[in-house]
């Protein structure tokens, strides 16, 4: 029989029978890669099928299903617990993605050091046992209940899991694991998918929790975690500027909790330190008496977080205006620039504009609009926004300031960090209570906001 090949999109994981220049699912160009189809009818998958048939799994009415809550355990790191939705779920599989060197192995090894009672199996395919021991020494992880296995063959890993019966398994990383039954090499799409599927079946059957590391690779040469996202229970991305010490752990998918929560860590000499109050960290080193910066408050899940938006407006050269946005969606930033130009009375033509959010934070909430507009206006006019002033509000296309949710919570955080003034949407002024020492400036549109903050 002729061997079939399949094509996968390295951006979204879409599978197709033929090659496309543009992925039909996500619209990205040049992301389809060829991978050999699965040529072998795997014995492992077959075994599971047989076991299922013997039990005769019949459908049941929903009213008769058990309502057993999922069993969770605390990881001992409150920031990680928060992102997982209140602890790790027994029998679940969690993918931890991130660029190489961001700190995934460090995070998971530290997690092993936190758990006193669980039996843990750490499978390392990237580092030797000696390297791992050195790192563990540096992190102060030294436990009898932590077993280490340097192995890349999936069958051996599964056999070790069966033999040692751990409660937590860590696979570092999925790109180094391979199943000898498949023809493709480690790190290819079919290998990564197959290994994850096998681990998932084992995790459900033997009810252990599994953390799987996956490298994010922009070039798409190695299958990234994207192709696994739909298979696993929870996807965490570890992000941050490698040059800076702050790291943000974000849930991109979570079957057992919300995906809005973030966990903040700082990389220090002896590992990752949790940052329980990220606002202080994100505002540290803020310049005084400088135009082009404004602080806002966004909700990251249930937690209000203060963020600094910076803008630089400079005369452009002969080649037309350059625009760049970092931390705020580019199209949103362009929309805000257009609104400022047309409704705010500040001409942005023939100006280069650069927008940046400090600390590597991604602001995807419209509540940051007003601060962005004010930061741009401040830089364009060369007027300083007072150091103790913040702005919260969504900007509409007519320049109106629209309401945001959870304003009381945001204002408490603003007041807690010592700010004295906050610009808020006028029409919800009646619904909020100003915390002590915080003056609320209600504005109806961006002209009023610019007038209130930049003209006095
Ligand atoms: P690592 O966990 O190896 O990254 P990943 O597994 O995501 O590829 O992180 C390695 C980086 O972290 C490396 O550049 C060194 C740094 N680091 C510290 O700064 N302090 C530490 O205590 C450790 C263990 C690593
Ligand atoms: Mg690593």
């Amino acid at each position: 029989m002729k061997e079939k090949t399949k094509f996968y999109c390295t951006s979204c994981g879409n599978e197709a029978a033929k090659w496309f220049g543009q992925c039909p699912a996500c619209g990205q160009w040049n992301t389809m890669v060829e991978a050999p189809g699965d040529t072998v009818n795997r014995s492992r998958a077959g075994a599971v099928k047989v076991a299922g048939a013997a039990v005769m799994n019949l459908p049941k009415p929903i009213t008769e299903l058990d309502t057993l809550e999922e069993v969770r355990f605390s990881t001992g790191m409150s920031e990680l617990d928060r992102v997982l939705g209140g602890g790790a779920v027994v029998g679940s599989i969690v993918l931890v993605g991130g660029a190489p060197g961001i700190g995934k192995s460090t995070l998971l090894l530290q997690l092993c050091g936190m758990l006193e009672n669980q039996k843990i199996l750490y499978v390392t395919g990237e580092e030797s046992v000696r390297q791992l021991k050195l790192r563990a020494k540096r992190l102060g992880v030294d436990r009898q209940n932590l077993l280490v296995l340097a192995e890349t063959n999936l069958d051996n890993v599964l056999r070790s899991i069966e033999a040692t019966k751990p409660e937590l398994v860590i696979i570092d990383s999925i790109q180094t694991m391979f199943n000898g039954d498949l023809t493709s090499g480690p790190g290819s799409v079919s290998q990564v998918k197959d290994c994850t599927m096998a681990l998932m079946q084992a995790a459900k059957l033997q009810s252990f929790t599994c953390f799987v590391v996956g490298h994010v690779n922009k070039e798409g040469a190695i299958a990234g975690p994207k192709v696994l996202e739909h298979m696993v229970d929870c996807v965490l991305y570890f992000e941050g500027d490698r040059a800076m010490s702050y790291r943000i752990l974000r849930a991109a998918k979570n079957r057992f909790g919300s995906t809005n929560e973030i966990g903040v860590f700082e990389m220090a000499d002896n590992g990752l330190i949790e940052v329980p109050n990220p606002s202080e960290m994100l505002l540290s080193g803020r310049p005084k008496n400088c135009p082009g910066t404004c602080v806002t408050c966004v909700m990251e899940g249930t937690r209000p977080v203060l963020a600094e938006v910076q803008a630089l407006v400079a005369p452009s050269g002969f080649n037309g205006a350059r625009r760049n946005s970092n931390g705020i969606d580019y199209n949103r930033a362009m929309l805000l620039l257009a609104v400022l130009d047309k409704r705010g009375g500040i001409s942005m033509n023939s100006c280069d504009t650069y927008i940046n959010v400090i600390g590597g934070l991604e602001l995807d909430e419209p509540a940051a609009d007003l601060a962005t507009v004010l930061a741009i206006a401040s830089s364009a006019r060369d007027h300083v926004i007072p150091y103790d002033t913040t702005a919260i509000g969504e900007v509409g296309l007519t320049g109106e300031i629209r309401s945001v949710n959870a304003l009381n919570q945001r204002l408490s955080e603003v007041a807690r960090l010592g700010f004295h003034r906050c610009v808020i949407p006028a029409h919800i002024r009646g619904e909020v209570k100003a915390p002590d020492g915080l003056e609320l400036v209600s504005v109806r549109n961006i002209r009023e906001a610019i007038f209130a903050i930049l003209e006095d």
Side-chain angles (χ1 to χ4, degrees):
M1 200 179 84
K2 196 169 157 261
E3 197 176 290
K4 279 210 177 114
T5 55
K6 280 183 189 160
F7 296 87
Y8 294 93
C9 170
T10 50
S11 167
C12 69
N14 177 41
E15 193 179 312
K18 66 181 180 107
W19 188 83
F20 291 95
Q22 183 186 24
C23 171
C26 68
Q28 292 285 323
W29 288 92
N30 258 335
T31 54
M32 301 295 279
V33 292
E34 183 175 354
D38 303 344
T39 49
V40 189
N41 207 351
R42 269 146 294 134
S43 51
R44 206 175 30 254
V48 171
K49 253 186 226 148
V50 172
V55 180
M56 272 299 273
N57 205 357
L58 290 176
K60 272 191 222 161
I62 193 164
T63 48
E64 288 173 24
L65 299 183
D66 301 338
T67 48
L68 273 184
E69 286 267 316
E70 70 264 2
V71 188
R72 285 180 189 266
F73 63 90
S74 166
T75 60
M77 300 170 102
S78 57
E79 292 292 298
L80 182 57
D81 280 352
R82 169 198 295 278
V83 179
L84 288 170
V89 175
V90 173
S92 70
I93 176 158
V94 179
L95 178 69
V96 181
I102 203 79
K104 301 179 293 297
S105 309
T106 309
L107 177 77
L108 294 177
L109 196 55
Q110 259 179 288
L111 162 69
C112 296
M114 291 290 181
L115 298 172
E116 288 176 21
N117 305 319
Q118 269 117 331
K119 194 171 195 183
I120 308 167
L121 179 66
Y122 193 114
V123 182
T124 169
E126 296 197 336
E127 295 173 350
S128 67
V129 181
R130 210 179 76 83
Q131 279 171 315
L132 192 93
K133 174 76 189 168
L134 281 176
R135 185 200 295 261
K137 214 168 168 187
R138 184 167 165 186
L139 298 173
V141 177
D142 195 16
R143 286 196 181 285
Q144 198 63 38
N145 58 346
L146 173 59
L147 306 174
V148 175
L149 176 72
E151 181 59 71
T152 53
N153 187 324
L154 181 73
D155 281 325
N156 292 347
V157 172
L158 292 175
R159 229 169 276 142
S160 294
I161 292 174
E162 254 167 55
T164 53
K165 302 209 172 15
E167 286 151 272
L168 177 67
V169 175
I170 289 167
I171 306 289
D172 188 2
S173 65
I174 193 69
Q175 274 106 1
T176 57
M177 296 294 139
F178 75 96
N179 176 359
D181 295 346
L182 297 188
T183 41
S184 48
S188 66
V189 181
S190 45
Q191 282 285 6
V192 166
K193 278 185 146 179
D194 183 85
C195 293
T196 311
M197 195 51 114
L199 284 166
M200 195 166 71
Q201 286 174 349
K204 303 271 174 264
L205 278 177
Q206 299 170 42
S207 62
F208 59 82
T209 309
C210 188
F211 281 81
V212 174
V213 171
H215 292 295
V216 173
N217 187 304
K218 285 232 169 73
E219 282 74 44
I222 303 175
K226 284 275 181 218
V227 295
L228 304 177
E229 270 183 5
H230 59 278
M231 295 162 80
V232 299
D233 296 312
C234 184
V235 181
L236 308 182
Y237 278 104
F238 211 25
E239 302 168 348
D241 207 333
R242 220 177 328 156
M244 298 212 317
S245 59
Y246 295 112
R247 303 280 185 274
I248 293 175
L249 189 66
R250 185 187 297 281
K253 163 181 175 180
N254 194 350
R255 284 196 182 136
F256 308 107
S258 125
T259 53
N260 300 322
E261 299 288 350
I262 60 166
V264 183
F265 297 87
E266 186 182 352
M267 181 65 95
D269 280 343
N270 49 359
L272 292 157
I273 301 171
E274 297 179 59
V275 180
N277 293 313
S279 300
E280 275 118 359
M281 159 211 119
L282 289 166
L283 295 186
S284 65
R286 192 157 64 96
K288 263 191 181 159
N289 291 327
C290 281
T293 147
C294 187
V295 174
T296 188
C297 184
V298 290
M299 296 301 289
E300 292 287 355
T302 52
R303 179 162 60 170
V305 171
L306 294 200
E308 179 188 353
V309 184
Q310 291 195 340
L312 178 69
V313 178
S316 47
F318 297 110
N319 301 332
R322 272 180 64 95
R323 268 90 206 258
N324 198 332
S325 166
N326 197 354
I328 289 179
D329 176 58
Y330 180 80
N331 292 322
R332 186 87 201 160
M334 293 311 105
L335 183 151
L336 294 175
L337 271 180
V339 174
L340 182 62
D341 188 289
K342 185 100 176 165
R343 309 281 171 216
I346 296 181
S347 170
M348 301 305 299
N349 283 332
S350 68
C351 286
D352 291 350
T353 309
Y354 304 91
I355 299 168
N356 185 31
V357 179
I358 302 295
L361 208 63
E362 290 277 335
L363 306 186
D364 47 12
E365 222 195 341
D369 288 355
L370 183 55
T372 311
V373 166
L374 286 176
I376 301 168
S378 158
S379 179
R381 289 260 174 105
D382 239 348
H383 272 238
V384 177
I385 295 176
Y387 193 71
D388 62 350
T389 300
T390 56
I392 302 168
E394 177 179 349
V395 173
L397 287 187
T398 67
E400 84 276 19
I401 310 293
R402 309 184 69 102
S403 59
V404 298
N405 63 347
L407 192 55
N408 279 318
Q409 230 180 318
R410 296 179 205 245
L411 292 177
S412 327
E413 178 76 356
V414 165
R416 189 178 73 79
L417 281 143
F419 287 88
H420 295 124
R421 234 167 20 143
C422 187
V423 187
I424 60 162
H427 66 274
I428 51 168
R429 174 67 187 89
E431 298 162 29
V432 294
K433 202 176 138 282
D436 285 344
L438 188 70
E439 179 200 343
L440 298 184
V441 182
S442 327
V443 294
R444 275 171 302 179
N445 51 49
I446 56 173
R447 259 182 201 271
E448 284 187 14
I450 293 169
F451 184 76
I453 296 302
L454 292 173
E455 311 275 310
D456 53 3

